[in-house]
Amino acid sequence: MFESLKSFIYMLSLDQKACEEYCRRQRIERFREGEDGVKRIPLHSVAHRILMPLLWCDQYIAGKRLTVINDARTKTKKPIIFCATHIGGADAEMSLLTIHDPCWVVVGDPRELYKNFDGALLEINGAIMLDTQYKEDRKAAKARMADLLKKGGNLLIYPEGAQDVSPNALLNHLYAGAVELAITCGADIVPIALHRDKNKYYANVGANISYEGCDYAERYKLTSELRDRMATLKWEIIEALPSVNRQDVKDTAYDDFLHDVFAMDASYTWTMDDVKASMFKPEGFVDADDVYSFMDRIQPNINNAFLFGK
């Protein structure tokens, strides 16, 4: 206990970059030494039940309203991996309020959370933090996730890995880690689609997916099927909302969307480059920015003017 307090006090004295490096180094060292298993799961579950009403009040006072349009999950004695879509800014809050049940939150690249109040609350609830750009940190985090599930705990994870900033895709491609854990740890996956419209939030909870008897070698195919289910849940939310006429969509709609994502919190230091670096790109996948990147290198002349609509 004394060593933990001493480490926390030292961490507070560091700037953000040094703090990130210190915390990552501590996680990896604990993993190497075999001391990185999850502890006090029942205590975290009690803390979760105490925190949820407080979280609801905090979000309500902030003017944020959550509507769960459907919840198709069923009770099970197996551990559950809740797989939610990213919405940016209030992912954990809205996911936890939707789920209700105790679950540990997986936080990738928690640069803003090491020394603030929100980060402390996540740790009290139960959290597994990692820097997604570092292979050994990912390995350590995955070992903690497996340990939690094998001990009967639930997990909340965002398999997209990053906020969906596409102007048209319902969600990003998914990392296979959630399905891998479900197969190896005997857990169900419950997919959750989240959607945000300013201060109005919507959630759609899908039915349990059992991976009992599934072959680990099929994990990528199963992950693709999970993405399809999550996309369907997201589409069901969109269908439930009032329709919008194309003519009412402003030309600046996409830029406004990006501004909302990155300006939601003054402490949010992520950039578009960070988001793109954290996305999972399947082999052979090329996004639109890469396809049209040659346009930035072209010197306009009479022979290529047609490329610029001239």
Side-chain angles (χ1 to χ4, degrees):
M1 179 69 74
F2 178 75
E3 286 298 319
S4 297
L5 180 61
K6 182 179 177 182
S7 176
F8 178 70
I9 293 173
Y10 173 71
M11 182 186 73
L12 294 178
S13 69
L14 303 173
D15 62 32
Q16 179 172 306
K17 188 65 177 177
C19 183
E20 290 176 42
E21 294 172 354
Y22 173 74
C23 291
R24 181 173 62 250
R25 187 168 61 250
Q26 290 289 97
R27 289 193 297 265
I28 293 173
E29 286 178 0
R30 288 195 299 267
F31 172 65
R32 289 173 177 171
E33 295 169 3
E35 300 177 354
D36 202 32
V38 297
K39 302 174 183 177
R40 298 180 288 275
I41 296 176
L43 187 60
H44 284 289
S45 296
V46 172
H48 171 91
R49 298 188 187 282
I50 294 172
L51 288 173
M52 285 306 97
L54 300 177
L55 177 60
W56 184 89
C57 290
D58 176 70
Q59 297 299 297
Y60 190 86
I61 292 171
K64 298 177 182 179
R65 302 293 183 265
L66 171 66
T67 300
V68 179
I69 70 167
N70 189 40
D71 190 340
R73 62 183 151 157
T74 54
K75 289 187 177 296
T76 177
K77 292 183 179 180
K78 294 192 289 184
I80 296 177
I81 303 172
F82 295 98
C83 289
T85 62
H86 263 301
I87 51 175
D91 303 75
E93 294 91 332
M94 295 306 162
S95 299
L96 290 171
L97 289 173
T98 298
I99 294 167
H100 292 299
D101 298 330
C103 58
W104 288 45
V105 184
V106 178
V107 184
D109 300 293
R111 60 184 72 176
E112 287 88 13
L113 298 174
Y114 289 122
K115 299 194 294 182
N116 71 11
F117 188 62
D118 289 342
L121 290 178
L122 277 174
E123 290 284 9
I124 292 171
N125 172 84
I128 296 175
M129 299 191 180
L130 69 149
D131 285 333
T132 56
Q133 300 302 304
Y134 294 85
K135 183 177 180 179
E136 196 162 8
D137 203 12
R138 296 198 304 269
K139 186 177 179 180
K142 193 171 182 180
R144 292 198 78 202
M145 296 177 211
D147 187 48
L148 172 70
L149 294 167
K150 289 175 181 178
K151 290 176 179 176
N154 299 326
L155 193 66
L156 167 60
I157 192 169
Y158 299 89
E160 292 175 276
Q163 163 74 22
D164 178 12
V165 292
S166 166
N168 45 38
L170 289 174
L171 67 158
N172 298 322
H173 292 280
L174 308 185
Y175 285 93
V179 170
E180 291 171 357
L181 286 167
I183 294 173
T184 57
C185 300
D188 277 0
I189 282 182
V190 170
I192 301 173
L194 299 173
H195 179 77
R196 177 173 65 87
D197 180 12
K198 300 188 184 301
N199 275 346
K200 295 179 180 179
Y201 295 80
Y202 302 88
N204 190 11
V205 184
N208 300 42
I209 307 172
S210 174
Y211 292 87
E212 188 173 351
C214 289
D215 190 339
Y216 187 81
E218 295 282 295
R219 61 194 183 279
Y220 297 115
K221 173 178 175 290
L222 295 171
T223 298
S224 179
E225 293 174 356
L226 172 62
R227 182 177 183 240
D228 289 343
R229 293 205 188 193
M230 294 174 71
T232 298
L233 293 172
K234 186 95 173 200
W235 184 252
E236 288 173 354
I237 295 177
I238 295 171
E239 286 188 317
L241 298 178
S243 60
V244 178
N245 294 322
R246 178 70 179 179
Q247 64 195 41
D248 295 329
V249 178
K250 297 188 299 183
D251 292 339
T252 60
Y254 181 58
D255 291 334
D256 293 343
F257 161 73
L258 293 180
H259 178 270
D260 287 347
V261 170
F262 294 107
M264 190 174 294
D265 188 333
S267 65
Y268 191 69
T269 61
W270 268 52
T271 65
M272 179 67 86
D273 288 339
D274 291 323
V275 170
K276 289 183 176 181
S278 298
M279 289 179 178
F280 173 64
K281 294 184 179 180
E283 186 176 351
F285 173 79
V286 181
D287 62 31
D289 287 344
D290 293 333
V291 171
Y292 291 101
S293 61
F294 71 91
M295 294 289 288
D296 296 330
R297 301 191 298 272
I298 291 179
Q299 296 297 323
N301 59 57
I302 194 171
N303 297 315
N304 60 30
F306 69 94
L307 292 173
F308 300 88
K310 304 298 183 182

